[in-house]
Amino acid sequence: MIDFSSITKTTYHQSESKLGALSFAEKLIYWTIILTPLWWLLGAQTIVYPVVSVLLLFAGLNLDKLIKKSLPICNWTWLAMTLVALWTNILGLEQIGFYTVKTSATLFTLFKGYFMIFACMTVPFWHSIRVKVITRAVSWMAVSFIVALTIQLLILVAIGPHEPFLPPIARLIPGEKVSMMVKFAIIQPFFGIPLPRTDLYTADPPILGVSALLCCFICWGESNKRLRNFGLAGSLLALIISQSRLAWACFPLVFVIIACFRSGLARQGSLWLASFTSLFCAVLGLALQDVIKAPLATFNSARADSSKDREYVVNATMEAWRESPWVGWGIMDRTVTWGNGAFELPLGTFSSYAQVLYLHGLVGFVFFAIALISTVCSFWEPSLRGNRNCQKAFACLIALYILCQATNLTWMAIYIWFFFLWLGSILADIQQQRRKVMTWEQLSL
């Protein structure tokens, strides 16, 4: 006897795993994400991603769409942050005379930072870009992590550490060149144990940790089971080899936040944990900072020198901000040295929050905070209603905001541009569903 139910289920899963016909915008985004290894080897990442997103933004821009398909508040806040950053950049450049190299590098950083975030979150509202198309492309990119990491580890084992090289296209792009170099896996001590570490398609291993964490939760929504498993495996492998301690800590946090949306038991568990911690501190007469001091010391000891260097640069950045607290310095034109001049980094290198204060002052920081808060709040209500994509987006944004404490958002935005596209496509999908509900309600009346 034929089991028609199993045939129906198989057909349904096959249809779900197929993307169907892609729009031009979907094709462009799909292949741009999948060809990430190619852009990396050519040194074109910092120009391809913002150009693709901005071209699609202007291609879909017209007054009718802007009026009828109103954008969420969070999109406008990112545009406002872009304009405030541009204003403070101009103030900073005016002090040094707008010489060509510094001006082009500063404006290009703004173009591939805040403005690209605005473009990526807005494009799905003006073009037909489905969430599952971005999910499929990111899953394939995560699979490429496995291939690239395998090759790098084989090179490391066979011939030892390989010297990085600057790709041809990267030579033509304004700005510093270190972040554009193609680097290979090296051996670095972690808790005193020499282990392989790499930054793969990114500029720095911590950025790889952020990218891998976000990829993992995007791949989780892939409908093709085999591709989903490979994508998750590639994301987890990249997360591990990045040796990003903060990304490792944020990984279980994302699961906890998602569980709190989906399970009443998880919400109760978090309350019981907070109550138990308070009781534990009260009984032993300890402050909360004393309880977390030991784990934090262990966390920092994994790479003690790196933690100290970051703290030193951030403290120097905050001291410089206090000299111009309202509008900041506008440009990253000052450096800090330590170790008898052996090490030198621009102020604002670490921590998005310290960098925003240093570059754009309190005025810029207020707009930056509004952009962050409005973006995560956009996913709050749908998450409570059970929208699984919104729950993952909300949790990933909380993790990203924590990770921004250790890495500049404007520096890593170029490497996680797909995440902002994913956020925009989810919000666009929610807006479309609301319009359908309103239309049905009007018809029923």
Side-chain angles (χ1 to χ4, degrees), residues 319-331:
E319 288 178 8
W321 161 66
R322 293 186 185 97
E323 298 175 21
S324 179
W326 291 106
V327 295
W329 292 93
I331 55 174

Side-chain angles (χ1 to χ4, degrees), residues 60-61 101 186 215 234 242 284 303 314 345 438:
L61 175 63
V101 176
I186 58 175
C215 281
S242 71
L284 297 181
R303 277 195 306 275
V314 170
L345 282 173
M438 292 175 63

